[in-house]
Amino acid sequence: MGNQDQQSLAESENKFMHFIRETQVNNMFVYREQLQSNSQRGKYFLKVDMDHLHAFDDMLVKCFRNNPSDYIKVFESAVETIYRTDYYDEMNPDMEVSPKFQVQIHSDENPKMLRDLQSDLIGKLVCLPGIIVSTSKSTIRARKAVFQCSNCGHEKVMDIPFGLTRAIAPSICDR
């Protein structure tokens, strides 16, 4: 990650902290009060509405959608920093280490259908209908394989179908 990206993430953490402290809905500081209430009950998460974040800073939302794995860590770090500075001592004075917080993103946007997902959306934040039952990192699978004979240099191109099938190298040259 470059120096420009590091600076952008540091700026983003400050923006997230400002968002948590200053966002108001109906003259109520929604996230500040939610953080205090949840931590008093021993529930260390913050549920954030994407529309509120969008109204706060469009560019931050764009960066968040394009690189959610980095920005969610920065967002959670901002929540933990606010908790440590504003609420930690008064909540649990006997606690030695401040807890880790989880940021849960909620959105009412129109979801994409599962069949509409394309490769350009890999690693980006998307809204899908349904219930998440498990998650994992995406893996890259070859769609074509090219084999070259070590004796004559002949190349053979093989298409690999979807699923768990793999390319099997030919044992003899086609020439």
Side-chain angles (χ1 to χ4, degrees):
M1 195 178 288
N3 194 18
Q4 184 85 11
D5 295 335
Q6 290 290 349
Q7 185 178 12
S8 176
L9 288 176
E11 288 175 14
S12 297
E13 185 170 8
N14 288 332
K15 287 181 180 181
F16 284 132
M17 288 172 62
H18 185 71
F19 169 76
I20 294 163
R21 285 185 171 132
E22 303 301 322
T23 300
Q24 292 185 43
V25 176
N26 299 328
N27 293 327
M28 188 172 93
F29 293 100
V30 183
Y31 299 111
R32 195 186 325 174
E33 292 180 17
Q34 185 189 149
L35 178 63
Q36 186 175 16
S37 174
N38 285 353
S39 59
Q40 282 175 342
R41 293 181 287 142
K43 299 183 186 251
Y44 301 107
F45 69 90
L46 188 69
K47 190 172 183 180
V48 176
D49 190 338
M50 197 64 151
D51 291 336
H52 295 163
L53 193 57
H54 207 319
F56 177 74
D57 190 338
D58 285 337
M59 199 62 193
L60 186 62
V61 171
K62 183 179 178 186
C63 293
F64 187 75
R65 285 188 185 276
N66 287 332
N67 198 355
S69 59
D70 288 339
Y71 279 84
I72 196 75
K73 292 174 190 168
V74 171
F75 204 163
E76 289 173 347
S77 174
V79 172
E80 290 168 15
T81 301
I82 290 174
Y83 176 75
R84 273 194 315 274
T85 58
D86 297 353
Y87 306 112
Y88 183 62
D89 293 334
E90 65 189 54
M91 297 292 180
N92 297 316
D94 57 331
M95 223 181 194
E96 293 176 13
V97 179
S98 67
K100 294 286 184 192
F101 278 83
Q102 179 186 41
V103 173
Q104 300 173 356
I105 304 295
H106 177 266
S107 176
D108 288 331
E109 68 185 77
N110 290 332
K112 292 189 178 294
M113 292 290 108
L114 200 54
R115 293 184 184 265
D116 293 338
L117 294 180
Q118 300 294 322
S119 62
D120 63 328
L121 296 174
I122 290 177
K124 298 198 172 153
L125 186 65
V126 292
C127 182
L128 298 171
I131 299 170
I132 298 171
V133 293
S134 81
T135 62
S136 64
K137 289 208 176 253
S138 55
T139 57
I140 299 171
R141 294 247 178 206
R143 297 287 296 134
K144 285 189 177 192
V146 179
F147 297 100
Q148 183 177 16
C149 178
S150 57
N151 292 333
C152 68
H154 173 71
E155 290 185 350
K156 180 177 183 174
V157 178
M158 293 177 63
D159 288 324
I160 304 168
F162 278 117
L164 300 175
T165 57
R166 296 181 181 208
I168 299 172
S171 55
I172 57 172
C173 183
D174 289 344
R175 272 196 189 162

